[in-house]
Every structure is written in structure tokens, then in C-alpha cells.
Amino acid sequence: MFKYNFKDWIKAAGVRAIKTVAQTAVATIGTAVVMGNVDWVMVASASALAGIVSLLTSVAGLPELDNQ
């Protein structure tokens, strides 16, 4: 039924989501610093949303697991 082992999928999707959250936080902080004010609530909410979107996108497939 499943194309991948669920445990492997959770691990790969989690790593991908964590990387996406970190990248979004760095980009949001960098943009906010240029504007002169870091809104930490905005950074946290944008990063959390990016992590959720990453997990949902991973449902379509993970190239990391296709190589195994």
C-alpha cells in the first residue's frame, strides 16, 4: 500500500521540514533586520507555516527515499 517504510518517511520528511523551518527563519530575520525591526512572532509563525507546508509537500514523495 505504501511506497515507503513509514518510519523512514517520517524521518526524511522531518529532516526536510526542520531544514525548511531554519531556512525560513534565517530569511525572515535577515529581511526584518534590513527593515530595522525583527518581529519574532512573525518569524515564528512564518517558520512554522513553512514547516507544515514542507510536511504536506512531502506527502507527494521524497526524492531522498527514491534513491534507496
Side-chain angles (χ1 to χ4, degrees):
M1 179 176 181
F2 291 107
K3 185 176 178 182
Y4 312 115
N5 177 340
F6 187 67
K7 188 175 179 179
D8 291 340
W9 184 89
I10 287 289
K11 183 178 177 183
V15 168
R16 180 177 276 224
I18 289 168
K19 288 179 181 180
T20 301
V21 167
Q23 291 168 345
T24 302
V26 168
T28 307
I29 291 168
T31 302
V33 166
V34 169
M35 295 178 357
N37 180 2
V38 177
D39 181 354
W40 293 105
V41 173
M42 180 189 68
V43 171
S45 64
S47 299
L49 180 59
I52 292 167
V53 170
S54 175
L55 288 173
L56 292 173
T57 303
S58 294
V59 171
L62 292 167
E64 299 90 338
L65 295 179
D66 289 337
N67 295 332
Q68 292 180 359

